[in-house]
Amino acid sequence: MLGMCRGRRKFLAASLALLFIPALTWLYLSAGNFQVKPLPLSPLLPQLSTLTARARGGALGGGVSREALELRVREVEEENQLLRRELSRPPRSPAGPGSHHTNHHGNQSKTHSEEGTGDNEAGLKAGSTGNRSDCVQQPPVDKCETIHVAIVCAGYNASRDVVTLVKSVLFHRRNPLHFHIITDSTAQQILASLFHTWMVPAVRVDFYDADELKAEVSWIPNKHYSGIYGLMKLVLTKTLPPDLQKVIVLDTDITFATDIAELWAVFHKFKGQQVLGLVENQSDWYLGNLWKNHRPWPALERGFNTGVILLLLDRLRKLRWEQMWRLTAERELMSMLSTSLADQDIFNAVIKQNPFLVHQLPCFWNVQLSDHTRSEKCYKDVSDLKVIHWNSPKKLRVKNKHVEFFRNLYLTFLEYDGNLLRRELFGCPSETDHNSENLQKTLSELDEDDPCYEFRRERFTVHRTHLYFLHYEYEPSPDHTDVTLVAQLSMDRLQMLEAICKHWEGPISLALYLSDAEAQQFLRYTQGSEVLMSRGNVGYHIVYKEGQFYPVNLLRNVAARQVNTPYMFLSDVDFLPMYGLYDYLRKSVVQLDMANNKKALERSNNISVPCRKSVVQLDMANNKKALVVPAFETLRYRLAYPKSKAELLTQLDMGTLFTFRYHVWTKGHAPTNFAKWRTATTPYRVQWEADFEPYVMVRRDSPEYDRRFVGFGWNKVSHVMELDAQEYEFVVLPNAFMIHMPHAPSFDITKFRSNKQYRVCLKTLKEEFQQNMSRRYGFAALKYMTAENNS
């Protein structure tokens, strides 16, 4: 701040000098020996004072000749020109009092305005002379100008990288953004859900199907770990909208340390036929001296890195870019056989033949961190950096003098609360977001004076959601009997995951309620667990924390929506299913003839039309079953888990096990009829009763949970009531069981027990839910009201 003030005083003084020196000169010429006392306005003025004194002495000694006056005027004008040049230079920001940043040769660092001007030589010098850009006036970028960014992303892990990149961009940005993301089906599902629930103002996202582009580049053999997706940048002129004129292209392993508008402004510096903005490659790869017989693709000197690219799309299209890179690739592949660095090899081969295409960017726009890079020669001080590029398969484990600084910068955005990035860009009109408008309208209709306002608001809160946070693999079962275990959890239940995976070998869908920092702790936990890392059929879906309540039913819905098996077993994470329950449930589907939708349609084709509808309806009715898995609990943290029903009954008789909630909430599972279950050998049907909340297996398309119930109380009860209203049959399985493991009470149950208003609001929400049921299901729903009154 002190430096800025000094700079402003200096600028003001120099401006005054420019105005007054010509005036003083005119006065002197017109007044002869009129004496003017020099003003100390500038470091140059002592020289001017000396000049004036000489002229004054000559006049006093023998008169002023015309030639002497003309000479003095010319000298003053020359001094004025020097002063103007001094003022035209951008101010330098000292690192501290009396200090200056210098390059390796002791010269003062070049400013940003002197670098990247289109002259390649100047750009090369920038790499070694530093990158000070403080207080530099950038080319104008309108505050409401949309900045376009293209990213190629495929797979689960790359989707996580994109989130960190986007966070770093959003953190610094002051402009509207339009992301163009080229994805496979996996990444599109993940990122579409993420951006939809993120709801960041002035951000638009479009997706482009990478599978449709594979034919454009699949003919190119590529050894790079990015695979075929590492070649997709070559076809952006064809992929992106034809009216899009320019775009910034980024790798997923990029972290921004400045406003991306500064990079967007560099487009103004492109000259002539320059169409590609690139930073010089900071390793010796293209020099071919990394190891014996190393033979890289052709490149201009050190070549260029394509982790950050500025593309002038309209000019590239006019230059017939598609034909240009294809011909180059075909020619080089005749001798190189394959690419080693994917698109980067082909970009460099094209630039080698056409150097005029490239505008070299200062190196701080792509500081490359791999073991063989010379990135430390790019900058003098880490504060100069703009973009960090983790361009190594080792990522954060690379060797670098300042790797801790880079790692901390990356981790800052990795764990940064993404909800804080939902800030508005004031003064910039944005596209109408109907979802956001409808949400705001709904929230505005709520009564803020309502004692239960926070409960009602939670129902409409949009939680940022990252589906498939880890890699997921599942092969559909051909017999249409497969079932997925569905559960939700927070960080305090993480230790249950390994035990559940040992008890349930089938697919699992889990919704985790975590903060951004906790999500990274979870990632490290799973990566350190052999049990969890060996399971590819577990889908982990992160729902990020927001609000004061645990959105239990939202979490269940998120996990249930990602089920891709015909059936799902709705459980809780603190229950361990019996060994073999997965196979037992699949056999029960066959035994109870639940997997007969396809059979019903096939049979209906062989009978008369009047009978066809009734047959289909009958078989669909058979399919509307909720298979009840009896629930038990233990108060012991160490339990010899029963391997059969007989062992469980023994422990039940010995008091090691109890029926679930027998001591505190008998009504929740009483309709299961445990007395009958003890001797049952075949499935039996039970009737719905008030407060019934069993754990059931149902079809994937069964009703969702009601989101108005958060925290503790009535979240499962309302769902089971909905199943009954839709005429699901509750069938208890005679040889199935699950056991609840002890743990510390949750925060929500503690609030329920200690906060009277919490209980009052829950009762209010319960009554409103029952009223909604009566409106939806009519006379049949009256039993829920009467059952509640009689209980």
Side-chain angles (χ1 to χ4, degrees):
M1 181 64 70
L2 181 60
M4 290 177 62
C5 294
R6 289 174 177 169
R8 288 173 180 170
R9 288 200 301 269
K10 181 178 178 181
F11 180 81
L12 179 61
S15 301
L16 291 173
L18 283 175
L19 293 173
F20 286 114
I21 288 175
L24 292 174
T25 302
W26 178 83
L27 286 172
Y28 181 83
L29 293 175
S30 60
N33 59 355
F34 183 80
Q35 296 186 6
V36 179
K37 188 175 181 179
L39 299 175
L41 297 178
S42 163
L44 295 178
L45 287 184
Q47 301 176 20
L48 294 177
S49 301
T50 303
L51 177 65
T52 306
R54 286 180 191 156
R56 191 166 53 242
L60 291 173
V64 180
S65 67
R66 181 178 181 85
E67 291 78 14
L69 287 175
E70 290 177 350
L71 176 63
R72 197 186 65 77
V73 169
R74 285 198 299 272
E75 290 176 339
V76 170
E77 289 177 347
E78 290 174 359
E79 295 291 345
N80 287 343
Q81 291 175 1
L82 287 173
L83 184 60
R84 290 190 187 98
R85 283 200 292 271
E86 179 69 16
L87 291 174
S88 67
R89 296 175 184 173
R92 297 183 177 91
S93 297
S99 65
H100 295 279
H101 284 283
T102 57
N103 62 17
H104 297 295
H105 302 288
N107 298 323
Q108 197 154 1
S109 301
K110 291 191 176 184
T111 64
H112 189 187
S113 63
E114 294 173 301
E115 295 175 335
T117 58
D119 181 65
N120 284 349
E121 184 179 353
L124 289 169
K125 290 179 181 178
S128 60
T129 57
N131 299 293
R132 294 302 300 174
S133 58
D134 298 345
C135 301
V136 178
Q137 189 69 32
Q138 294 289 340
V141 176
D142 185 84
K143 74 171 186 176
C144 295
E145 182 178 353
T146 298
I147 296 174
H148 294 265
V149 180
I151 304 169
V152 179
C153 174
Y156 300 94
N157 294 336
S159 302
R160 287 202 309 273
D161 294 336
V162 165
V163 176
T164 308
L165 162 61
V166 170
K167 278 185 183 179
S168 70
V169 173
L170 292 176
F171 180 83
H172 299 285
R173 67 105 179 210
R174 294 189 295 271
N175 286 71
L177 295 171
H178 188 164
F179 290 101
H180 304 266
I181 308 181
I182 297 87
T183 66
D184 62 352
S185 57
T186 295
Q188 179 169 346
Q189 178 191 7
I190 295 169
L191 295 176
S193 171
L194 177 69
F195 280 104
H196 177 72
T197 54
W198 204 338
M199 298 183 71
V200 183
V203 170
R204 177 179 170 183
V205 184
D206 283 326
F207 295 97
Y208 306 83
D209 189 355
D211 290 334
E212 295 181 357
L213 304 174
K214 285 182 178 180
E216 302 287 337
V217 293
S218 59
W219 57 274
I220 304 173
N222 178 30
K223 294 181 179 179
H224 194 255
Y225 61 83
S226 60
I228 193 170
Y229 299 100
L231 299 164
M232 295 290 179
K233 295 179 197 170
L234 294 167
V235 294
L236 289 180
T237 53
K238 187 174 182 179
T239 306
L240 299 178
D243 58 341
L244 183 60
Q245 296 183 350
K246 56 187 178 181
V247 68
I248 298 173
V249 187
L250 302 174
D251 278 356
T252 59
D253 52 1
I254 290 288
T255 305
F256 265 78
T258 192
D259 189 349
I260 196 172
E262 293 182 36
L263 181 57
W264 187 256
V266 179
F267 275 115
H268 292 282
K269 298 181 178 179
F270 279 41
K271 296 181 179 179
Q273 290 183 291
Q274 293 175 345
V275 290
L276 304 170
L278 293 163
V279 170
E280 183 184 58
N281 197 45
Q282 291 164 16
S283 78
D284 291 341
W285 178 271
Y286 287 108
L287 299 180
N289 57 10
L290 292 181
W291 58 81
K292 187 177 180 181
N293 299 325
H294 176 215
R295 185 166 170 256
W297 275 55
L300 190 65
E301 298 180 357
R302 305 190 66 85
F304 296 91
N305 184 276
T306 56
V308 176
I309 316 176
L310 301 187
L311 288 184
L312 275 180
L313 296 169
D314 52 347
R315 293 190 193 174
L316 277 169
R317 294 184 183 109
K318 291 177 182 177
L319 291 172
R320 302 177 69 182
W321 167 253
E322 289 285 326
Q323 183 179 357
M324 187 183 296
W325 74 257
R326 282 177 182 275
L327 291 174
T328 302
E330 289 172 356
R331 181 182 65 249
E332 298 300 333
L333 283 170
M334 293 178 66
S335 58
M336 298 303 299
L337 303 182
S338 68
T339 61
S340 296
L341 300 182
D343 65 272
Q344 184 168 300
D345 284 338
I346 299 177
F347 270 102
N348 275 288
V350 173
I351 293 170
K352 175 73 172 178
Q353 297 296 319
N354 308 278
F356 60 87
L357 295 177
V358 70
H359 172 97
Q360 183 165 336
L361 303 175
C363 63
F364 53 63
W365 285 119
N366 185 355
V367 178
Q368 301 145 40
L369 298 180
S370 63
D371 288 340
H372 300 293
T373 57
R374 302 162 64 251
S375 56
E376 293 176 20
K377 296 185 178 180
C378 164
Y379 54 88
K380 179 67 177 176
D381 190 329
V382 291
S383 62
D384 296 329
L385 306 180
K386 304 288 187 182
V387 173
I388 312 302
H389 184 189
W390 301 91
N391 61 322
S392 165
K394 296 168 62 176
K395 300 306 178 189
L396 302 189
R397 294 178 287 110
V398 297
K399 299 175 183 177
N400 182 279
K401 181 179 179 181
H402 300 105
V403 70
E404 284 303 316
F405 171 84
F406 298 131
R407 187 181 291 115
N408 290 335
L409 177 67
Y410 174 80
L411 292 177
T412 296
F413 293 114
L414 191 71
E415 301 184 356
Y416 189 82
D417 184 355
N419 297 331
L420 301 178
L421 298 170
R422 288 170 165 168
R423 56 178 180 263
E424 294 279 353
L425 293 182
F426 294 104
C428 294
S430 57
E431 295 183 12
T432 302
D433 185 342
H434 296 292
N435 291 330
S436 180
E437 282 189 348
N438 293 337
L439 176 61
Q440 293 301 322
K441 180 180 179 182
T442 301
L443 293 175
S444 66
E445 293 172 353
L446 298 178
D447 182 6
E448 295 188 15
D449 295 327
D450 183 352
C452 301
Y453 170 77
E454 294 298 334
F455 283 86
R456 302 187 191 283
R457 179 184 175 86
E458 179 60 36
R459 182 181 181 183
F460 304 104
T461 299
V462 178
H463 290 263
R464 184 167 42 103
T465 303
H466 188 140
L467 303 177
Y468 297 103
F469 193 71
L470 299 179
H471 186 77
Y472 179 74
E473 292 180 4
Y474 168 74
E475 289 293 332
S477 171
D479 60 2
H480 305 289
T481 65
D482 213 352
V483 55
T484 299
L485 186 149
V486 173
Q488 42 73 36
L489 68 151
S490 54
M491 201 67 181
D492 58 340
R493 300 289 187 266
L494 204 58
Q495 73 280 0
M496 290 294 299
L497 293 184
E498 287 189 348
I500 288 177
C501 286
K502 292 177 180 178
H503 280 248
W504 179 276
E505 61 270 27
I508 302 174
S509 183
L510 298 172
L512 299 93
Y513 193 56
L514 306 174
S515 66
D516 291 76
E518 288 174 338
Q520 298 310 311
Q521 295 174 30
F522 160 72
L523 178 61
R524 291 190 290 271
Y525 176 81
T526 55
Q527 291 174 338
S529 168
E530 292 184 9
V531 174
L532 300 182
M533 290 305 292
S534 65
R535 291 288 298 271
N537 62 348
V538 181
Y540 301 98
H541 316 295
I542 308 297
V543 177
Y544 288 99
K545 286 184 175 180
E546 186 169 2
Q548 59 176 305
F549 297 106
Y550 184 77
V552 57
N553 279 356
L554 167 66
L555 296 172
R556 288 179 172 133
N557 289 338
V558 168
R561 288 174 195 148
Q562 302 312 311
V563 168
N564 45 22
T565 58
Y567 300 94
M568 54 186 181
F569 173 44
L570 305 176
S571 182
D572 275 334
V573 77
D574 45 11
F575 275 89
L576 287 182
M578 74 175 197
Y579 291 109
L581 181 60
Y582 170 64
D583 289 331
Y584 180 64
L585 290 177
R586 295 182 66 178
K587 292 176 182 177
S588 298
V589 169
V590 177
Q591 180 184 357
L592 297 171
D593 199 26
M594 293 176 65
N596 57 10
N597 288 347
K598 187 175 180 181
K599 296 177 183 177
L601 293 174
E602 290 174 350
R603 290 206 304 272
S604 69
N605 292 330
N606 299 324
I607 59 178
S608 61
V609 174
C611 300
R612 183 178 301 167
K613 183 177 180 180
S614 61
V615 169
V616 173
Q617 289 176 338
L618 176 63
D619 284 331
M620 291 296 288
N622 289 338
N623 208 359
K624 294 183 71 172
K625 289 183 173 68
L627 305 188
V628 177
V629 176
F632 300 85
E633 68 177 333
T634 179
L635 303 180
R636 301 183 180 184
Y637 283 89
R638 290 177 176 268
L639 174 71
Y641 198 94
K643 295 181 174 59
S644 65
K645 178 178 179 179
E647 286 189 21
L648 181 138
L649 292 175
T650 300
Q651 294 186 17
L652 197 63
D653 293 337
M654 293 176 62
T656 306
L657 293 177
F658 305 91
T659 55
F660 186 54
R661 291 292 183 259
Y662 170 78
H663 301 87
V664 294
W665 187 244
T666 307
K667 293 164 48 174
H669 295 265
T672 301
N673 195 343
F674 289 99
K676 183 174 182 178
W677 181 82
R678 292 179 66 101
T679 58
T681 57
T682 58
Y684 60 92
R685 183 178 176 182
V686 296
Q687 297 296 323
W688 176 90
E689 296 179 18
D691 298 318
F692 191 29
E693 51 177 2
Y695 293 93
V696 297
M697 188 196 82
V698 292
R699 298 184 321 194
R700 179 177 57 189
D701 60 351
S702 66
E704 290 194 336
Y705 290 83
D706 195 294
R707 277 198 60 188
R708 82 186 75 200
F709 298 105
V710 295
F712 177 81
W714 249 66
N715 45 71
K716 288 195 300 292
V717 172
S718 58
H719 183 248
V720 171
M721 185 181 291
E722 186 87 37
L723 292 176
D724 183 68
Q726 295 195 15
E727 300 179 342
Y728 274 72
E729 294 181 14
F730 296 96
V731 180
V732 181
L733 299 176
N735 295 308
F737 61 86
M738 59 196 300
I739 300 177
H740 178 266
M741 306 306 291
H743 55 75
S746 67
F747 177 70
D748 294 279
I749 195 172
T750 303
K751 279 202 301 186
F752 173 81
R753 291 170 177 170
S754 62
N755 190 328
K756 180 180 178 181
Q757 186 59 45
Y758 192 111
R759 297 193 295 273
V760 169
C761 289
L762 178 60
K763 185 174 185 295
T764 301
L765 295 176
K766 190 166 95 173
E767 292 171 351
E768 292 175 358
F769 173 77
Q770 291 172 325
Q771 293 169 5
N772 290 344
M773 291 284 287
S774 65
R775 285 194 292 269
R776 289 165 59 197
Y777 297 104
F779 181 79
L782 290 178
K783 69 175 182 177
Y784 306 122
M785 303 289 288
T786 56
E788 180 66 25
N789 293 333
N790 295 331
S791 62

